[in-house]
Amino acid sequence: MPWLAKPPSTGIAVPVTKCISGAEIAAIVTMLTLALAIPAALALAKADFPGKSAVATFLLAPLLLPTLIIGLALLLAFAPWRLTSSIAGLVLAHMVVTVPFAVRLLTTALGSLPSDIEAVAATLGASPSRVLRRVT
């Protein structure tokens, strides 16, 4: 049975011809979430820069809002770009929920790692990229 989508311009339900499974959407959301959350968590946990608390607040703000408010805001924001009945809109909406959780989790995990271990690896000749990949 094809999924039904309701375009914002008409009230008629139409079948979506390109359907992908929930597992495929979850895989896409997971990859994109990690691609955004890992660098953000590294920056928040290891770097000191101006506006660090503002960035952390912005990234974690969706955790403070009720899901009904987030859903309505996404609907209003996605409607002008016709993302309300698309796979891209679904992926972006899921990422609004998943990125704050991933950033929070990864920031805590990376912040608890002692910086002495990274310094020892660098002292023993590991390049910064190798320290990032192997130690951090």
Side-chain angles (χ1 to χ4, degrees), residues 33-106:
T33 296
L34 289 176
L36 290 174
I38 290 173
L42 276 170
L44 291 173
K46 301 289 182 185
D48 289 326
F49 55 92
K52 181 178 177 178
S53 62
V55 171
T57 303
F58 174 75
L59 287 173
L60 300 176
L63 295 176
L64 303 175
L65 295 172
T67 54
L68 180 65
I69 302 297
I70 292 174
L72 182 60
L74 288 174
L75 179 65
L76 294 174
F78 287 177
W81 290 303
R82 299 193 184 272
L83 290 173
T84 54
S85 297
S86 69
I87 301 298
L90 184 63
V91 168
L92 288 173
H94 276 86
M95 286 181 62
V96 167
V97 175
T98 58
V99 168
F101 282 108
V103 168
R104 175 80 174 184
L105 179 76
L106 291 169

